[in-house]
Amino acid sequence: MMNSDTIAAIATFPGNSGINIIRISGENALNIAQSIFIGKNEKNINSSGKRIFKSRYLHYGNIVDLDNKKIDEVLLSYMKAPNTYTKEDIVEINCHGGMISAKKILEVILKFDCRLAERGEFTKRAFLNGRIDLTQAEAVIDIINSKTDSSHQISVNHLEGRLSQEINNVIDKLMDLLANIQVNIDFPEYDEDEMTISKVKETCISIVNELDRLIRTADTGKIFKEGIKTVILGKPNVGKSSLMNFLLNENRAIVTEIAGTTRDTIEEYVNINGVPLRIVDTAGIRDTDDLIEKIGVEKALNKVNDSDLIIMLFDSSRELENEDIKILDYISGKKVVYLKNKTDLESKLNLKEYNEIEKEIINISVLNNKGLDEIIEKISEMFFKGTINLSNDLIINNIRHKNLLVSAKKSLEEVLKSIDNGMTIDFIEIDLKDSMESLGLIVGKSVSDDLVQKIFNEFCIGK
């Protein structure tokens, strides 16, 4: 259903830039453009004195206020419905960058029959008007928020509709099963019950395998989307902040020879050879009477519980101490990459009591830029099993999608249990419908208004 009102917003990031774009969408978009734009060529005027805008062309001129005072020199494009982003008439005004021009143009637009767009409302209208489904709408915000080429490629695949196509194919199979069941219930004389049950079982097994394949990709998708939550741990002055600066390739953390320099956690996002890391540099773990440092140590230990990966740093030039042992005990059971730093100095570290760590520890020297490739290779080995072809493989990167896929799979497993237990066909029908409903929620069929609002509230205004 098309919306009746007209919305407008600044679509570009506020601040100094080459251009700003103001977007208008709705049935009054063209009238607003005709009212505030004065072109350099005034030959294209209709009998009512209104400017004629050719669809999908750039028009050069000025935006004026209600007193006909020039605001800025612009390029204006008009796109006629329904072949637009929102399936409504759209006008986009390209003005000069900076804060003032775009703001003043928007103020003039809003004096007409038009209101300021809500967060994500342009994309929301694209969804409500049937141009895209919910997975594609969610892919838009994922593309905007992408921090690596990999996460961007996954989201582009979703925007192209590859996930939608796969989910809709499964829904079609379930609808076919439900149609056969309905025929069996309404006209039992024309159908064989055993034949229907056999078809249901065969199809459900096939669909469960399809859903399971998608579900298994979700952990990888989550990593590419959110990054591997990585905590750097070690006793004071082992080189944690130096390692973070080394990974970030910038002096983000303060580095001194004074133990306890880092008092709080420092978080950064870094893409290293395609591996996304959300790195947290922490205070050195030790017993201390310094109140501020003690808070930093507590924060560091709390970060461990919420982490995907620990980078445990030893100082090769110092012997194993109680502080090292306490950290090793605390991180037991976590995924850990063990590093031996300062290998350019004389080695005094002895890990003979920790034979497994000694086997897999990576020797590095942050001072000499040694060991980064080995660290990334080790992390990739831990989190990315096998070869992933992001151009061809369909990967789930949305927790909402994963949960609904799991729900749909469970419903189908209930169908298979019912068949094995000899349950009647009407019991089977209920679980098939539940599975189809879960899948329908992924692509936006029968989705609640609250859910739609929640999803689009994550967008910025103007998208």
Side-chain angles (χ1 to χ4, degrees):
M1 180 181 175
M2 302 289 278
N3 295 278
S4 59
D5 61 346
T6 301
I7 57 174
I10 299 172
T12 43
F13 192 78
N16 292 334
S17 60
I19 62 168
N20 269 323
I21 299 174
I22 302 94
R23 178 178 290 158
I24 313 170
S25 180
E27 62 181 19
N28 200 36
L30 177 59
N31 180 59
I32 293 172
Q34 290 171 330
S35 301
I36 66 173
F37 179 84
I38 298 177
K40 294 296 184 179
N41 179 5
E42 289 300 340
K43 294 179 182 178
N44 298 324
I45 304 294
N46 63 22
S47 58
S48 301
K50 295 281 190 178
R51 181 175 180 83
I52 300 171
F53 288 104
K54 191 173 181 180
S55 183
R56 304 185 183 283
Y57 274 74
L58 283 175
H59 303 274
Y60 172 51
N62 293 289
I63 297 295
V64 298
D65 61 18
L66 299 185
D67 296 324
N68 221 34
K69 182 181 177 182
K70 291 180 183 178
I71 296 175
D72 197 4
E73 189 176 43
V74 303
L75 290 173
L76 183 147
S77 58
Y78 164 63
M79 291 157 278
K80 186 174 176 58
N83 300 316
T84 67
Y85 185 68
T86 60
K87 296 193 76 172
E88 302 171 339
D89 280 355
I90 285 183
V91 169
E92 287 189 352
I93 300 168
N94 292 255
C95 68
H96 288 99
M99 298 294 293
I100 303 301
S101 288
K103 184 180 176 184
K104 288 177 75 69
I105 291 170
L106 181 61
E107 286 174 354
V108 172
I109 290 169
L110 295 178
K111 289 178 180 178
F112 291 83
D113 186 14
C114 181
R115 64 172 173 81
L116 184 65
E118 298 173 357
R119 285 180 172 270
E121 191 169 4
F122 293 97
T123 306
K124 181 179 178 181
R125 289 190 174 204
F127 165 64
L128 294 175
N129 293 335
R131 182 185 169 274
I132 57 176
D133 68 17
L134 205 51
T135 65
Q136 292 170 300
E138 289 169 296
V140 171
I141 191 63
D142 288 339
I143 288 173
I144 292 170
N145 292 333
S146 292
K147 296 179 178 66
T148 66
D149 290 343
S150 301
S151 61
H152 181 269
Q153 183 60 58
I154 291 169
S155 300
V156 167
N157 290 344
H158 289 193
L159 183 60
E160 289 176 347
R162 288 180 55 186
L163 177 59
S164 308
Q165 183 178 2
E166 187 139 348
I167 297 299
N168 282 319
N169 286 342
V170 175
I171 290 174
D172 288 343
K173 291 176 184 177
L174 292 176
M175 288 182 68
D176 185 53
L177 289 182
L178 287 166
N180 284 341
I181 288 173
Q182 198 60 50
V183 169
N184 181 280
I185 293 172
D186 294 342
F187 307 101
E189 66 274 18
Y190 294 110
D191 198 5
E192 293 290 337
D193 191 60
E194 288 185 11
M195 187 182 299
T196 300
I197 292 294
S198 176
K199 182 177 180 180
V200 169
K201 185 172 184 177
E202 180 185 344
T203 304
C204 283
I205 290 172
S206 173
I207 292 174
V208 165
N209 291 333
E210 286 182 55
L211 299 183
D212 203 40
R213 173 178 55 81
L214 289 175
I215 292 166
R216 285 198 304 269
T217 69
D219 289 341
T220 299
K222 182 175 181 289
I223 287 169
F224 278 125
K225 182 177 180 178
E226 300 178 6
I228 302 168
K229 288 180 282 188
T230 307
V231 176
I232 303 175
L233 282 183
K235 63 190 177 187
N237 214 23
V238 293
K240 296 185 301 300
S241 296
S242 296
L243 175 62
M244 183 169 187
N245 290 339
F246 175 48
L247 294 173
L248 295 172
N249 197 28
E250 63 174 278
N251 292 325
R252 174 66 176 85
I254 299 171
V255 179
T256 74
E257 294 181 359
I258 303 170
T261 300
T262 303
R263 301 297 188 93
D264 200 353
T265 59
I266 299 173
E267 265 186 74
E268 286 288 346
Y269 196 107
V270 62
N271 173 18
I272 306 175
N273 296 344
V275 178
L277 302 178
R278 280 170 57 191
I279 302 178
V280 182
D281 179 25
T282 61
I285 307 299
R286 67 171 178 177
D287 293 326
T288 177
D289 293 327
D290 186 307
L291 179 60
I292 297 175
E293 188 181 355
K294 185 178 291 187
I295 293 172
V297 171
E298 289 174 0
K299 279 190 173 184
L301 296 176
N302 288 335
K303 289 289 183 181
V304 171
N305 299 325
D306 192 39
S307 67
D308 300 315
L309 174 69
I310 305 296
I311 295 180
M312 170 66 185
L313 204 59
F314 295 95
D315 185 340
S316 177
S317 66
R318 293 158 64 184
E319 295 180 356
L320 190 71
E321 298 173 335
N322 285 334
E323 290 160 343
D324 296 303
I325 295 170
K326 284 181 180 178
I327 296 170
L328 289 173
D329 290 340
Y330 195 82
I331 63 178
S332 176
K334 301 289 289 186
K335 284 187 176 179
V336 185
V337 172
Y338 299 98
L339 305 181
K340 188 192 294 183
N341 189 29
K342 305 184 183 180
T343 53
D344 50 298
L345 302 176
E346 180 187 352
S347 179
K348 296 181 182 179
L349 183 66
N350 187 343
L351 291 170
K352 63 182 180 180
E353 295 181 16
Y354 296 91
N355 189 44
E356 289 303 314
I357 294 177
E358 183 68 39
K359 284 181 183 178
E360 62 183 75
I361 200 164
I362 298 172
N363 294 317
I364 70 167
S365 171
V366 176
L367 182 66
N368 296 328
N369 292 337
K370 175 189 172 186
L372 178 61
D373 289 342
E374 290 180 70
I375 296 171
I376 296 305
E377 186 178 330
K378 183 68 176 179
I379 294 172
S380 296
E381 182 185 307
M382 283 179 160
F383 288 90
F384 306 112
K385 297 176 181 177
T387 303
I388 301 171
N389 188 332
L390 293 175
S391 297
N392 296 321
D393 295 343
L394 186 58
I395 296 174
I396 301 300
N397 67 344
N398 184 306
I399 189 65
R400 188 183 76 86
H401 299 167
K402 178 188 176 183
N403 290 340
L404 288 168
L405 287 168
V406 169
S407 177
K409 179 188 168 188
K410 285 181 179 177
S411 296
L412 293 179
E413 287 172 339
E414 288 299 318
V415 170
L416 295 173
K417 284 181 187 177
S418 297
I419 291 173
D420 290 340
N421 292 331
M423 302 291 285
T424 58
I425 199 80
D426 48 337
F427 280 98
I428 294 170
E429 183 183 26
I430 293 170
D431 288 318
L432 284 174
K433 285 181 177 178
D434 287 344
S435 180
M436 192 169 72
E437 183 177 346
S438 294
L439 295 172
L441 286 171
I442 295 176
V443 293
K445 296 179 179 178
S446 303
V447 68
S448 70
D449 292 340
D450 288 343
L451 177 60
V452 170
Q453 193 61 37
K454 181 178 183 296
I455 289 171
F456 289 101
N457 274 344
E458 295 178 9
F459 283 59
C460 55
I461 293 174
K463 188 57 185 173

